[in-house]
Structures are given as structure tokens and as C-alpha cells.
Amino acid sequence: MLNKKIEDICNRQVEREGYSSNLYLAMASWAETNGYSGVAAWMYSQSDEERIHMLKFIKYINERGGKAIMPALKKPAGDYKNVEDVFKEVLKHEEFVTASINEIVALTLEEKDFNTHNFLQWFVMEQVEEEASVRIVLDKLRLVGKNSLYEFDRDILTLRRSAANTSTTV
Ligand code: FEO
């Protein structure tokens, strides 16, 4: 059975993963309406993954005798200066999520909740991968000039597909 502190912080993560999904949908929509179909596909796929992260927390809370709470989601910003600006925001957000997961890990140790500690290990590794994949995209963007954005947009689709082939599902 989850103790109240762990249940609450896991519910906080339900909201943060749900917001992540919404944030990437907003970015997908921005990309789609600005002609970047590759970036849009990357973001839609990222949004789906975040929903899966949210579901993992919901199911875990309920399975352990807690009660998952469906959150109201904040409205994400819908406007960005350019593609690089979008991915900088993605990295900033993922760093925030990593810190959030680490906080839960720290609390599980404090509370001696080793089951939840174990459950979180998947997320610890996932955050390493997510931050790394965004850094690859940002490095790529630094290499291309404005004129090559068309190729970049096509390339990023391949990146997403190869990542999808190696990632774990629920
Ligand atoms: Fe679910 Fe991208 O963190």
C-alpha cells in the first residue's frame, strides 16, 4: 500500500506527464501549421509517449492501493520563434521532468518504499534517453543553416523512427 506522501507525489507526476503530452501536442500543432511536417511527426510521437508515461503512473498508483487523480492540464504556449526555439524548450522541459523524477526517487528512499523505488528505475533511464535524443536534435540544428531546414525536417523523421524501434512500451 502506498503511503500518502508517495501517492501524492506520484499523482503530481501524473499531472506533469499529462502536461508534457499536451505541451508536445501544442508544439506538433505549431510545426504542422508552419510547414515542418517532420518536426510535427516527431512531436506527435513524443506526445504519445508522454501519455504512456502518464498511464504508467496512473496504473501503478491504483495497483498499489492508491487513487490516481486525473488532472486539469495547464494550457501550453502555442507560439515559438523557430524550430530551434521549440527544441530548446523541449530540453528545458525534459530537464524539469528529470528533476521531478529524481525528487520522487529521493522521497522513496526517505520513506523506505523500495517497490516504488524499483518502479521508478524505468523512468530514470527513460529520462537519460529523452534528454540525449533532444540534445542530438539540437546539435543537428546547430549544424544546419536556415537553408537546410528542409533537409533537417526530413531527417528528423528518420531519427524518430529509429528511436521508436529501440524504445520500450508499457
Ligand atoms: Fe515523460 Fe519526457 O518525460
Side-chain angles (χ1 to χ4, degrees), residues 22 78 89 94 103 115 161:
N22 237 18
E89 284 301 314
E94 287 305 325
E103 255 183 69
N115 296 320
R161 285 200 187 115

Side-chain angles (χ1 to χ4, degrees), residues 17 24 46 50 53 94 97 127 130:
E17 300 293 345
Y24 297 138
Q46 187 65 27
E50 298 300 350
H53 297 173
E94 287 305 325
V97 173
Q127 284 311 118
E130 292 214 337

